[in-house]
Amino acid sequence: QVQLVESGGGLVQAGGSLRLSCAASGSIFSINNMGWYRQVPGKQRELVAVITSGGSTNYADSVKGRFTISRDNAKNTVYLQMNSLKPEDTAVYYCNADISRIGILILLTYWGQGTQVTVSS
C-alpha cells in the first residue's frame, strides 16, 4: 500500500503565505514526478506545479513567481510554498506522485486526500 498525506492548509488573508507538505509512505521503490493540483467546486482539477525526480519544475501561469514547489527525496515529501496569496487561490489542494512499488515495477499515480486553502480578501 502507498499513502500520500497532506498537511499545511488553512485560512489566510490575501497577501499572506502558507506551506503545504505531502509525505508519501508505504512499500515505495521509487518516485518519479510529484505535483500539486487544486480544485474548486464545479470546476475541473487543475495543475498548480510539478517537480521531477531530478528537480526540474513547471508551474501554472497563474502561480508563477508566487509559488515554489520543492521535494525532499530522502523523506519522500513534496512541498508547496505559497506566497502573495490571492482570494482566487482558494481551493482544495491535492498532491500526487508517480510511484513504483516494491515488487511491482509499474508507475502508478497516487493522490492525497486534499487540504483546504482559503484566502480571505
Side-chain angles (χ1 to χ4, degrees), residues 1-6 21-36 51 53 70-79 95-102 110:
Q1 290 281 23
V2 171
Q3 275 191 317
L4 299 183
V5 178
E6 297 134 342
S21 300
C22 173
S25 62
S27 56
I28 296 170
F29 177 75
S30 66
I31 303 178
N32 282 21
N33 293 351
M34 303 183 83
W36 289 95
I51 185 168
S53 57
S70 61
R71 63 191 284 173
D72 184 333
N73 291 330
K75 296 181 179 179
N76 290 337
T77 299
V78 62
Y79 306 95
C95 69
N96 83 343
D98 296 329
I99 295 173
S100 60
R101 293 172 55 187
I102 295 171
Y110 294 85

PDB file of all heavy atoms in Angstrom, residues 1-6 21-36 51 53 70-79 95-102 110:
ATOM      1  N   GLN A   1       0.832  -1.194   0.000  1.00  0.00           N
ATOM      2  CA  GLN A   1       0.000   0.000   0.000  1.00  0.00           C
ATOM      3  C   GLN A   1       0.870   1.249   0.000  1.00  0.00           C
ATOM      4  O   GLN A   1       1.965   1.248   0.543  1.00  0.00           O
ATOM      5  CB  GLN A   1      -0.885   0.020   1.259  1.00  0.00           C
ATOM      6  CG  GLN A   1      -1.969  -1.028   1.270  1.00  0.00           C
ATOM      7  CD  GLN A   1      -3.163  -0.641   0.422  1.00  0.00           C
ATOM      8  OE1 GLN A   1      -3.054   0.172  -0.479  1.00  0.00           O
ATOM      9  NE2 GLN A   1      -4.310  -1.243   0.695  1.00  0.00           N
ATOM     10  N   VAL A   2       0.358   2.280  -0.625  1.00  0.00           N
ATOM     11  CA  VAL A   2       1.025   3.580  -0.652  1.00  0.00           C
ATOM     12  C   VAL A   2       0.020   4.635  -0.218  1.00  0.00           C
ATOM     13  O   VAL A   2      -1.147   4.592  -0.616  1.00  0.00           O
ATOM     14  CB  VAL A   2       1.557   3.911  -2.051  1.00  0.00           C
ATOM     15  CG1 VAL A   2       2.039   5.348  -2.126  1.00  0.00           C
ATOM     16  CG2 VAL A   2       2.677   2.949  -2.438  1.00  0.00           C
ATOM     17  N   GLN A   3       0.473   5.561   0.596  1.00  0.00           N
ATOM     18  CA  GLN A   3      -0.380   6.663   1.045  1.00  0.00           C
ATOM     19  C   GLN A   3       0.326   7.986   0.831  1.00  0.00           C
ATOM     20  O   GLN A   3       1.546   8.085   1.013  1.00  0.00           O
ATOM     21  CB  GLN A   3      -0.706   6.518   2.532  1.00  0.00           C
ATOM     22  CG  GLN A   3      -1.877   5.632   2.847  1.00  0.00           C
ATOM     23  CD  GLN A   3      -2.279   5.756   4.304  1.00  0.00           C
ATOM     24  OE1 GLN A   3      -1.459   5.790   5.197  1.00  0.00           O
ATOM     25  NE2 GLN A   3      -3.582   5.820   4.547  1.00  0.00           N
ATOM     26  N   LEU A   4      -0.452   8.994   0.450  1.00  0.00           N
ATOM     27  CA  LEU A   4       0.031  10.376   0.408  1.00  0.00           C
ATOM     28  C   LEU A   4      -0.786  11.152   1.434  1.00  0.00           C
ATOM     29  O   LEU A   4      -2.019  11.164   1.363  1.00  0.00           O
ATOM     30  CB  LEU A   4      -0.150  10.989  -0.973  1.00  0.00           C
ATOM     31  CG  LEU A   4       0.579  10.334  -2.145  1.00  0.00           C
ATOM     32  CD1 LEU A   4       0.333  11.129  -3.427  1.00  0.00           C
ATOM     33  CD2 LEU A   4       2.059  10.227  -1.877  1.00  0.00           C
ATOM     34  N   VAL A   5      -0.094  11.807   2.360  1.00  0.00           N
ATOM     35  CA  VAL A   5      -0.774  12.556   3.414  1.00  0.00           C
ATOM     36  C   VAL A   5      -0.329  14.011   3.349  1.00  0.00           C
ATOM     37  O   VAL A   5       0.855  14.320   3.482  1.00  0.00           O
ATOM     38  CB  VAL A   5      -0.466  11.968   4.803  1.00  0.00           C
ATOM     39  CG1 VAL A   5      -1.149  12.801   5.880  1.00  0.00           C
ATOM     40  CG2 VAL A   5      -0.918  10.513   4.873  1.00  0.00           C
ATOM     41  N   GLU A   6      -1.316  14.896   3.136  1.00  0.00           N
ATOM     42  CA  GLU A   6      -1.049  16.325   3.018  1.00  0.00           C
ATOM     43  C   GLU A   6      -1.262  17.016   4.353  1.00  0.00           C
ATOM     44  O   GLU A   6      -2.048  16.565   5.198  1.00  0.00           O
ATOM     45  CB  GLU A   6      -1.987  16.951   1.980  1.00  0.00           C
ATOM     46  CG  GLU A   6      -1.812  16.441   0.584  1.00  0.00           C
ATOM     47  CD  GLU A   6      -3.134  16.105  -0.080  1.00  0.00           C
ATOM     48  OE1 GLU A   6      -4.129  15.959   0.663  1.00  0.00           O
ATOM     49  OE2 GLU A   6      -3.181  16.009  -1.299  1.00  0.00           O
ATOM     50  N   SER A  21       2.621  20.510   2.720  1.00  0.00           N
ATOM     51  CA  SER A  21       3.523  19.353   2.684  1.00  0.00           C
ATOM     52  C   SER A  21       2.729  18.124   2.296  1.00  0.00           C
ATOM     53  O   SER A  21       1.534  18.023   2.586  1.00  0.00           O
ATOM     54  CB  SER A  21       4.167  19.116   4.057  1.00  0.00           C
ATOM     55  OG  SER A  21       4.926  20.229   4.465  1.00  0.00           O
ATOM     56  N   CYS A  22       3.403  17.192   1.651  1.00  0.00           N
ATOM     57  CA  CYS A  22       2.759  15.925   1.273  1.00  0.00           C
ATOM     58  C   CYS A  22       3.805  14.828   1.384  1.00  0.00           C
ATOM     59  O   CYS A  22       4.812  14.843   0.659  1.00  0.00           O
ATOM     60  CB  CYS A  22       2.212  16.009  -0.140  1.00  0.00           C
ATOM     61  SG  CYS A  22       1.590  14.445  -0.782  1.00  0.00           S
ATOM     62  N   ALA A  23       3.568  13.902   2.293  1.00  0.00           N
ATOM     63  CA  ALA A  23       4.514  12.813   2.532  1.00  0.00           C
ATOM     64  C   ALA A  23       3.963  11.502   1.995  1.00  0.00           C
ATOM     65  O   ALA A  23       2.814  11.128   2.299  1.00  0.00           O
ATOM     66  CB  ALA A  23       4.800  12.687   4.018  1.00  0.00           C
ATOM     67  N   ALA A  24       4.778  10.814   1.224  1.00  0.00           N
ATOM     68  CA  ALA A  24       4.409   9.503   0.701  1.00  0.00           C
ATOM     69  C   ALA A  24       4.997   8.419   1.603  1.00  0.00           C
ATOM     70  O   ALA A  24       6.141   8.534   2.047  1.00  0.00           O
ATOM     71  CB  ALA A  24       4.921   9.339  -0.718  1.00  0.00           C
ATOM     72  N   SER A  25       4.213   7.392   1.863  1.00  0.00           N
ATOM     73  CA  SER A  25       4.689   6.297   2.707  1.00  0.00           C
ATOM     74  C   SER A  25       4.148   4.973   2.191  1.00  0.00           C
ATOM     75  O   SER A  25       3.184   4.930   1.429  1.00  0.00           O
ATOM     76  CB  SER A  25       4.247   6.513   4.159  1.00  0.00           C
ATOM     77  OG  SER A  25       2.844   6.516   4.259  1.00  0.00           O
ATOM     78  N   GLY A  26       4.786   3.894   2.629  1.00  0.00           N
ATOM     79  CA  GLY A  26       4.354   2.564   2.214  1.00  0.00           C
ATOM     80  C   GLY A  26       5.482   1.826   1.523  1.00  0.00           C
ATOM     81  O   GLY A  26       6.650   2.161   1.671  1.00  0.00           O
ATOM     82  N   SER A  27       5.109   0.857   0.734  1.00  0.00           N
ATOM     83  CA  SER A  27       6.094  -0.002   0.075  1.00  0.00           C
ATOM     84  C   SER A  27       6.572   0.647  -1.226  1.00  0.00           C
ATOM     85  O   SER A  27       6.279   0.173  -2.321  1.00  0.00           O
ATOM     86  CB  SER A  27       5.493  -1.374  -0.199  1.00  0.00           C
ATOM     87  OG  SER A  27       4.312  -1.238  -0.951  1.00  0.00           O
ATOM     88  N   ILE A  28       7.340   1.723  -1.082  1.00  0.00           N
ATOM     89  CA  ILE A  28       7.776   2.529  -2.224  1.00  0.00           C
ATOM     90  C   ILE A  28       9.136   2.070  -2.706  1.00  0.00           C
ATOM     91  O   ILE A  28      10.073   1.975  -1.917  1.00  0.00           O
ATOM     92  CB  ILE A  28       7.828   4.014  -1.821  1.00  0.00           C
ATOM     93  CG1 ILE A  28       6.419   4.518  -1.476  1.00  0.00           C
ATOM     94  CG2 ILE A  28       8.428   4.858  -2.952  1.00  0.00           C
ATOM     95  CD1 ILE A  28       6.397   5.889  -0.851  1.00  0.00           C
ATOM     96  N   PHE A  29       9.234   1.834  -4.022  1.00  0.00           N
ATOM     97  CA  PHE A  29      10.529   1.548  -4.627  1.00  0.00           C
ATOM     98  C   PHE A  29      11.161   2.838  -5.148  1.00  0.00           C
ATOM     99  O   PHE A  29      12.319   3.115  -4.877  1.00  0.00           O
ATOM    100  CB  PHE A  29      10.383   0.533  -5.762  1.00  0.00           C
ATOM    101  CG  PHE A  29      11.666   0.236  -6.477  1.00  0.00           C
ATOM    102  CD1 PHE A  29      12.641  -0.562  -5.891  1.00  0.00           C
ATOM    103  CD2 PHE A  29      11.917   0.762  -7.737  1.00  0.00           C
ATOM    104  CE1 PHE A  29      13.836  -0.832  -6.542  1.00  0.00           C
ATOM    105  CE2 PHE A  29      13.110   0.487  -8.401  1.00  0.00           C
ATOM    106  CZ  PHE A  29      14.061  -0.305  -7.798  1.00  0.00           C
ATOM    107  N   SER A  30      10.386   3.605  -5.887  1.00  0.00           N
ATOM    108  CA  SER A  30      10.901   4.881  -6.387  1.00  0.00           C
ATOM    109  C   SER A  30       9.739   5.813  -6.691  1.00  0.00           C
ATOM    110  O   SER A  30       8.609   5.379  -6.896  1.00  0.00           O
ATOM    111  CB  SER A  30      11.753   4.692  -7.643  1.00  0.00           C
ATOM    112  OG  SER A  30      10.966   4.239  -8.723  1.00  0.00           O
ATOM    113  N   ILE A  31      10.042   7.118  -6.698  1.00  0.00           N
ATOM    114  CA  ILE A  31       9.048   8.141  -7.013  1.00  0.00           C
ATOM    115  C   ILE A  31       9.566   8.987  -8.161  1.00  0.00           C
ATOM    116  O   ILE A  31      10.696   9.495  -8.089  1.00  0.00           O
ATOM    117  CB  ILE A  31       8.748   9.037  -5.802  1.00  0.00           C
ATOM    118  CG1 ILE A  31       8.277   8.200  -4.610  1.00  0.00           C
ATOM    119  CG2 ILE A  31       7.688  10.078  -6.155  1.00  0.00           C
ATOM    120  CD1 ILE A  31       8.008   9.010  -3.353  1.00  0.00           C
ATOM    121  N   ASN A  32       8.774   9.118  -9.200  1.00  0.00           N
ATOM    122  CA  ASN A  32       9.144   9.999 -10.307  1.00  0.00           C
ATOM    123  C   ASN A  32       8.576  11.397 -10.050  1.00  0.00           C
ATOM    124  O   ASN A  32       8.921  12.040  -9.083  1.00  0.00           O
ATOM    125  CB  ASN A  32       8.684   9.408 -11.633  1.00  0.00           C
ATOM    126  CG  ASN A  32       9.601   8.311 -12.113  1.00  0.00           C
ATOM    127  OD1 ASN A  32      10.338   7.711 -11.332  1.00  0.00           O
ATOM    128  ND2 ASN A  32       9.573   8.028 -13.398  1.00  0.00           N
ATOM    129  N   ASN A  33       7.693  11.853 -10.911  1.00  0.00           N
ATOM    130  CA  ASN A  33       7.131  13.194 -10.744  1.00  0.00           C
ATOM    131  C   ASN A  33       6.264  13.281  -9.492  1.00  0.00           C
ATOM    132  O   ASN A  33       5.574  12.334  -9.135  1.00  0.00           O
ATOM    133  CB  ASN A  33       6.287  13.581 -11.952  1.00  0.00           C
ATOM    134  CG  ASN A  33       7.111  13.760 -13.206  1.00  0.00           C
ATOM    135  OD1 ASN A  33       8.330  13.767 -13.167  1.00  0.00           O
ATOM    136  ND2 ASN A  33       6.426  13.920 -14.327  1.00  0.00           N
ATOM    137  N   MET A  34       6.328  14.455  -8.866  1.00  0.00           N
ATOM    138  CA  MET A  34       5.420  14.790  -7.761  1.00  0.00           C
ATOM    139  C   MET A  34       4.803  16.138  -8.090  1.00  0.00           C
ATOM    140  O   MET A  34       5.469  17.005  -8.679  1.00  0.00           O
ATOM    141  CB  MET A  34       6.145  14.849  -6.420  1.00  0.00           C
ATOM    142  CG  MET A  34       6.870  13.562  -6.053  1.00  0.00           C
ATOM    143  SD  MET A  34       7.636  13.624  -4.417  1.00  0.00           S
ATOM    144  CE  MET A  34       6.229  13.196  -3.376  1.00  0.00           C
ATOM    145  N   GLY A  35       3.539  16.313  -7.723  1.00  0.00           N
ATOM    146  CA  GLY A  35       2.889  17.555  -8.119  1.00  0.00           C
ATOM    147  C   GLY A  35       1.790  17.982  -7.181  1.00  0.00           C
ATOM    148  O   GLY A  35       1.394  17.242  -6.270  1.00  0.00           O
ATOM    149  N   TRP A  36       1.340  19.197  -7.409  1.00  0.00           N
ATOM    150  CA  TRP A  36       0.203  19.770  -6.689  1.00  0.00           C
ATOM    151  C   TRP A  36      -0.858  20.201  -7.691  1.00  0.00           C
ATOM    152  O   TRP A  36      -0.534  20.817  -8.716  1.00  0.00           O
ATOM    153  CB  TRP A  36       0.641  20.963  -5.851  1.00  0.00           C
ATOM    154  CG  TRP A  36       1.476  20.595  -4.672  1.00  0.00           C
ATOM    155  CD1 TRP A  36       2.833  20.576  -4.604  1.00  0.00           C
ATOM    156  CD2 TRP A  36       1.001  20.185  -3.391  1.00  0.00           C
ATOM    157  NE1 TRP A  36       3.242  20.174  -3.353  1.00  0.00           N
ATOM    158  CE2 TRP A  36       2.134  19.927  -2.582  1.00  0.00           C
ATOM    159  CE3 TRP A  36      -0.266  20.005  -2.829  1.00  0.00           C
ATOM    160  CZ2 TRP A  36       2.032  19.504  -1.254  1.00  0.00           C
ATOM    161  CZ3 TRP A  36      -0.363  19.594  -1.518  1.00  0.00           C
ATOM    162  CH2 TRP A  36       0.771  19.338  -0.737  1.00  0.00           C
ATOM    163  N   ILE A  51       7.175  18.696 -10.087  1.00  0.00           N
ATOM    164  CA  ILE A  51       8.627  18.606  -9.957  1.00  0.00           C
ATOM    165  C   ILE A  51       9.052  17.182 -10.285  1.00  0.00           C
ATOM    166  O   ILE A  51       8.438  16.215  -9.826  1.00  0.00           O
ATOM    167  CB  ILE A  51       9.085  19.036  -8.547  1.00  0.00           C
ATOM    168  CG1 ILE A  51      10.618  19.051  -8.458  1.00  0.00           C
ATOM    169  CG2 ILE A  51       8.459  18.174  -7.455  1.00  0.00           C
ATOM    170  CD1 ILE A  51      11.136  19.750  -7.202  1.00  0.00           C
ATOM    171  N   SER A  53      11.924  13.967 -10.537  1.00  0.00           N
ATOM    172  CA  SER A  53      12.852  13.380  -9.580  1.00  0.00           C
ATOM    173  C   SER A  53      14.209  14.082  -9.609  1.00  0.00           C
ATOM    174  O   SER A  53      14.925  14.092  -8.612  1.00  0.00           O
ATOM    175  CB  SER A  53      13.032  11.887  -9.856  1.00  0.00           C
ATOM    176  OG  SER A  53      13.481  11.686 -11.190  1.00  0.00           O
ATOM    177  N   SER A  70       9.029  22.131  -4.157  1.00  0.00           N
ATOM    178  CA  SER A  70      10.312  21.507  -3.847  1.00  0.00           C
ATOM    179  C   SER A  70      10.048  20.106  -3.299  1.00  0.00           C
ATOM    180  O   SER A  70       8.896  19.758  -2.997  1.00  0.00           O
ATOM    181  CB  SER A  70      11.089  22.351  -2.828  1.00  0.00           C
ATOM    182  OG  SER A  70      10.376  22.460  -1.611  1.00  0.00           O
ATOM    183  N   ARG A  71      11.092  19.326  -3.200  1.00  0.00           N
ATOM    184  CA  ARG A  71      10.926  17.970  -2.679  1.00  0.00           C
ATOM    185  C   ARG A  71      12.158  17.541  -1.906  1.00  0.00           C
ATOM    186  O   ARG A  71      13.266  18.012  -2.170  1.00  0.00           O
ATOM    187  CB  ARG A  71      10.614  16.972  -3.800  1.00  0.00           C
ATOM    188  CG  ARG A  71      11.703  16.808  -4.822  1.00  0.00           C
ATOM    189  CD  ARG A  71      11.225  16.020  -6.032  1.00  0.00           C
ATOM    190  NE  ARG A  71      11.130  14.579  -5.778  1.00  0.00           N
ATOM    191  CZ  ARG A  71      10.613  13.703  -6.633  1.00  0.00           C
ATOM    192  NH1 ARG A  71      10.125  14.118  -7.775  1.00  0.00           N
ATOM    193  NH2 ARG A  71      10.579  12.408  -6.344  1.00  0.00           N
ATOM    194  N   ASP A  72      11.927  16.640  -0.959  1.00  0.00           N
ATOM    195  CA  ASP A  72      12.998  16.014  -0.199  1.00  0.00           C
ATOM    196  C   ASP A  72      12.924  14.531  -0.503  1.00  0.00           C
ATOM    197  O   ASP A  72      12.044  13.826   0.017  1.00  0.00           O
ATOM    198  CB  ASP A  72      12.814  16.290   1.298  1.00  0.00           C
ATOM    199  CG  ASP A  72      13.956  15.751   2.150  1.00  0.00           C
ATOM    200  OD1 ASP A  72      14.604  14.770   1.728  1.00  0.00           O
ATOM    201  OD2 ASP A  72      14.180  16.307   3.234  1.00  0.00           O
ATOM    202  N   ASN A  73      13.797  14.061  -1.374  1.00  0.00           N
ATOM    203  CA  ASN A  73      13.720  12.671  -1.811  1.00  0.00           C
ATOM    204  C   ASN A  73      13.992  11.695  -0.671  1.00  0.00           C
ATOM    205  O   ASN A  73      13.447  10.589  -0.655  1.00  0.00           O
ATOM    206  CB  ASN A  73      14.701  12.431  -2.961  1.00  0.00           C
ATOM    207  CG  ASN A  73      14.277  13.140  -4.227  1.00  0.00           C
ATOM    208  OD1 ASN A  73      13.087  13.340  -4.480  1.00  0.00           O
ATOM    209  ND2 ASN A  73      15.245  13.541  -5.033  1.00  0.00           N
ATOM    210  N   ALA A  74      14.807  12.092   0.288  1.00  0.00           N
ATOM    211  CA  ALA A  74      15.100  11.204   1.421  1.00  0.00           C
ATOM    212  C   ALA A  74      13.864  10.981   2.281  1.00  0.00           C
ATOM    213  O   ALA A  74      13.729   9.943   2.941  1.00  0.00           O
ATOM    214  CB  ALA A  74      16.233  11.787   2.255  1.00  0.00           C
ATOM    215  N   LYS A  75      12.966  11.961   2.287  1.00  0.00           N
ATOM    216  CA  LYS A  75      11.746  11.868   3.096  1.00  0.00           C
ATOM    217  C   LYS A  75      10.513  11.553   2.259  1.00  0.00           C
ATOM    218  O   LYS A  75       9.404  11.509   2.791  1.00  0.00           O
ATOM    219  CB  LYS A  75      11.522  13.181   3.848  1.00  0.00           C
ATOM    220  CG  LYS A  75      12.606  13.513   4.865  1.00  0.00           C
ATOM    221  CD  LYS A  75      12.294  14.819   5.582  1.00  0.00           C
ATOM    222  CE  LYS A  75      13.364  15.148   6.631  1.00  0.00           C
ATOM    223  NZ  LYS A  75      13.071  16.432   7.317  1.00  0.00           N
ATOM    224  N   ASN A  76      10.690  11.370   0.949  1.00  0.00           N
ATOM    225  CA  ASN A  76       9.546  11.115   0.052  1.00  0.00           C
ATOM    226  C   ASN A  76       8.467  12.179   0.226  1.00  0.00           C
ATOM    227  O   ASN A  76       7.262  11.869   0.279  1.00  0.00           O
ATOM    228  CB  ASN A  76       8.957   9.721   0.302  1.00  0.00           C
ATOM    229  CG  ASN A  76       9.882   8.604  -0.151  1.00  0.00           C
ATOM    230  OD1 ASN A  76      10.742   8.808  -1.013  1.00  0.00           O
ATOM    231  ND2 ASN A  76       9.725   7.434   0.434  1.00  0.00           N
ATOM    232  N   THR A  77       8.888  13.420   0.307  1.00  0.00           N
ATOM    233  CA  THR A  77       7.979  14.524   0.614  1.00  0.00           C
ATOM    234  C   THR A  77       8.105  15.628  -0.425  1.00  0.00           C
ATOM    235  O   THR A  77       9.212  15.958  -0.857  1.00  0.00           O
ATOM    236  CB  THR A  77       8.263  15.081   2.015  1.00  0.00           C
ATOM    237  OG1 THR A  77       8.064  14.042   2.989  1.00  0.00           O
ATOM    238  CG2 THR A  77       7.338  16.244   2.346  1.00  0.00           C
ATOM    239  N   VAL A  78       6.959  16.183  -0.799  1.00  0.00           N
ATOM    240  CA  VAL A  78       6.917  17.328  -1.697  1.00  0.00           C
ATOM    241  C   VAL A  78       6.272  18.492  -0.952  1.00  0.00           C
ATOM    242  O   VAL A  78       5.378  18.296  -0.117  1.00  0.00           O
ATOM    243  CB  VAL A  78       6.149  16.999  -2.993  1.00  0.00           C
ATOM    244  CG1 VAL A  78       4.694  16.636  -2.723  1.00  0.00           C
ATOM    245  CG2 VAL A  78       6.243  18.142  -3.999  1.00  0.00           C
ATOM    246  N   TYR A  79       6.755  19.696  -1.242  1.00  0.00           N
ATOM    247  CA  TYR A  79       6.280  20.902  -0.574  1.00  0.00           C
ATOM    248  C   TYR A  79       5.762  21.891  -1.611  1.00  0.00           C
ATOM    249  O   TYR A  79       6.184  21.880  -2.756  1.00  0.00           O
ATOM    250  CB  TYR A  79       7.410  21.559   0.216  1.00  0.00           C
ATOM    251  CG  TYR A  79       8.106  20.653   1.196  1.00  0.00           C
ATOM    252  CD1 TYR A  79       9.277  19.985   0.855  1.00  0.00           C
ATOM    253  CD2 TYR A  79       7.576  20.453   2.471  1.00  0.00           C
ATOM    254  CE1 TYR A  79       9.920  19.143   1.752  1.00  0.00           C
ATOM    255  CE2 TYR A  79       8.212  19.614   3.375  1.00  0.00           C
ATOM    256  CZ  TYR A  79       9.381  18.958   3.012  1.00  0.00           C
ATOM    257  OH  TYR A  79      10.004  18.131   3.909  1.00  0.00           O
ATOM    258  N   CYS A  95      -2.068  16.689  -3.595  1.00  0.00           N
ATOM    259  CA  CYS A  95      -0.768  16.297  -4.116  1.00  0.00           C
ATOM    260  C   CYS A  95      -0.918  14.977  -4.856  1.00  0.00           C
ATOM    261  O   CYS A  95      -1.857  14.204  -4.592  1.00  0.00           O
ATOM    262  CB  CYS A  95       0.271  16.166  -3.013  1.00  0.00           C
ATOM    263  SG  CYS A  95       0.032  14.795  -1.882  1.00  0.00           S
ATOM    264  N   ASN A  96      -0.027  14.733  -5.790  1.00  0.00           N
ATOM    265  CA  ASN A  96       0.025  13.432  -6.423  1.00  0.00           C
ATOM    266  C   ASN A  96       1.471  13.054  -6.691  1.00  0.00           C
ATOM    267  O   ASN A  96       2.373  13.896  -6.647  1.00  0.00           O
ATOM    268  CB  ASN A  96      -0.848  13.369  -7.676  1.00  0.00           C
ATOM    269  CG  ASN A  96      -0.174  13.928  -8.908  1.00  0.00           C
ATOM    270  OD1 ASN A  96       0.809  14.644  -8.856  1.00  0.00           O
ATOM    271  ND2 ASN A  96      -0.721  13.590 -10.074  1.00  0.00           N
ATOM    272  N   ALA A  97       1.678  11.775  -6.936  1.00  0.00           N
ATOM    273  CA  ALA A  97       3.021  11.273  -7.179  1.00  0.00           C
ATOM    274  C   ALA A  97       2.941  10.021  -8.047  1.00  0.00           C
ATOM    275  O   ALA A  97       2.023   9.210  -7.891  1.00  0.00           O
ATOM    276  CB  ALA A  97       3.719  10.964  -5.859  1.00  0.00           C
ATOM    277  N   ASP A  98       3.913   9.904  -8.944  1.00  0.00           N
ATOM    278  CA  ASP A  98       4.037   8.709  -9.779  1.00  0.00           C
ATOM    279  C   ASP A  98       5.022   7.773  -9.086  1.00  0.00           C
ATOM    280  O   ASP A  98       6.212   8.076  -9.003  1.00  0.00           O
ATOM    281  CB  ASP A  98       4.534   9.082 -11.173  1.00  0.00           C
ATOM    282  CG  ASP A  98       3.548   9.973 -11.916  1.00  0.00           C
ATOM    283  OD1 ASP A  98       2.331   9.829 -11.667  1.00  0.00           O
ATOM    284  OD2 ASP A  98       3.986  10.802 -12.715  1.00  0.00           O
ATOM    285  N   ILE A  99       4.507   6.654  -8.605  1.00  0.00           N
ATOM    286  CA  ILE A  99       5.267   5.784  -7.703  1.00  0.00           C
ATOM    287  C   ILE A  99       5.284   4.361  -8.233  1.00  0.00           C
ATOM    288  O   ILE A  99       4.262   3.847  -8.709  1.00  0.00           O
ATOM    289  CB  ILE A  99       4.637   5.803  -6.294  1.00  0.00           C
ATOM    290  CG1 ILE A  99       4.749   7.208  -5.687  1.00  0.00           C
ATOM    291  CG2 ILE A  99       5.299   4.772  -5.382  1.00  0.00           C
ATOM    292  CD1 ILE A  99       4.010   7.376  -4.377  1.00  0.00           C
ATOM    293  N   SER A 100       6.469   3.741  -8.156  1.00  0.00           N
ATOM    294  CA  SER A 100       6.545   2.300  -8.388  1.00  0.00           C
ATOM    295  C   SER A 100       6.765   1.632  -7.033  1.00  0.00           C
ATOM    296  O   SER A 100       7.587   2.071  -6.233  1.00  0.00           O
ATOM    297  CB  SER A 100       7.672   1.957  -9.355  1.00  0.00           C
ATOM    298  OG  SER A 100       8.919   2.384  -8.859  1.00  0.00           O
ATOM    299  N   ARG A 101       5.998   0.618  -6.782  1.00  0.00           N
ATOM    300  CA  ARG A 101       6.049  -0.080  -5.504  1.00  0.00           C
ATOM    301  C   ARG A 101       7.056  -1.212  -5.539  1.00  0.00           C
ATOM    302  O   ARG A 101       7.360  -1.755  -6.592  1.00  0.00           O
ATOM    303  CB  ARG A 101       4.665  -0.625  -5.165  1.00  0.00           C
ATOM    304  CG  ARG A 101       3.637   0.440  -4.883  1.00  0.00           C
ATOM    305  CD  ARG A 101       2.254  -0.145  -4.754  1.00  0.00           C
ATOM    306  NE  ARG A 101       2.198  -1.207  -3.751  1.00  0.00           N
ATOM    307  CZ  ARG A 101       1.132  -1.973  -3.553  1.00  0.00           C
ATOM    308  NH1 ARG A 101       0.052  -1.789  -4.291  1.00  0.00           N
ATOM    309  NH2 ARG A 101       1.145  -2.903  -2.628  1.00  0.00           N
ATOM    310  N   ILE A 102       7.547  -1.551  -4.382  1.00  0.00           N
ATOM    311  CA  ILE A 102       8.495  -2.659  -4.260  1.00  0.00           C
ATOM    312  C   ILE A 102       7.846  -3.925  -4.793  1.00  0.00           C
ATOM    313  O   ILE A 102       6.734  -4.294  -4.391  1.00  0.00           O
ATOM    314  CB  ILE A 102       8.909  -2.841  -2.785  1.00  0.00           C
ATOM    315  CG1 ILE A 102       9.686  -1.604  -2.313  1.00  0.00           C
ATOM    316  CG2 ILE A 102       9.746  -4.099  -2.605  1.00  0.00           C
ATOM    317  CD1 ILE A 102       9.952  -1.590  -0.835  1.00  0.00           C
ATOM    318  N   TYR A 110      -0.670   8.162  -7.571  1.00  0.00           N
ATOM    319  CA  TYR A 110      -1.386   8.174  -6.300  1.00  0.00           C
ATOM    320  C   TYR A 110      -1.742   9.618  -5.943  1.00  0.00           C
ATOM    321  O   TYR A 110      -1.014  10.558  -6.284  1.00  0.00           O
ATOM    322  CB  TYR A 110      -0.523   7.559  -5.192  1.00  0.00           C
ATOM    323  CG  TYR A 110      -0.251   6.094  -5.387  1.00  0.00           C
ATOM    324  CD1 TYR A 110       0.801   5.662  -6.187  1.00  0.00           C
ATOM    325  CD2 TYR A 110      -1.063   5.126  -4.788  1.00  0.00           C
ATOM    326  CE1 TYR A 110       1.045   4.312  -6.382  1.00  0.00           C
ATOM    327  CE2 TYR A 110      -0.821   3.776  -4.974  1.00  0.00           C
ATOM    328  CZ  TYR A 110       0.238   3.377  -5.775  1.00  0.00           C
ATOM    329  OH  TYR A 110       0.470   2.039  -5.967  1.00  0.00           O
TER     330      TYR A 110
END
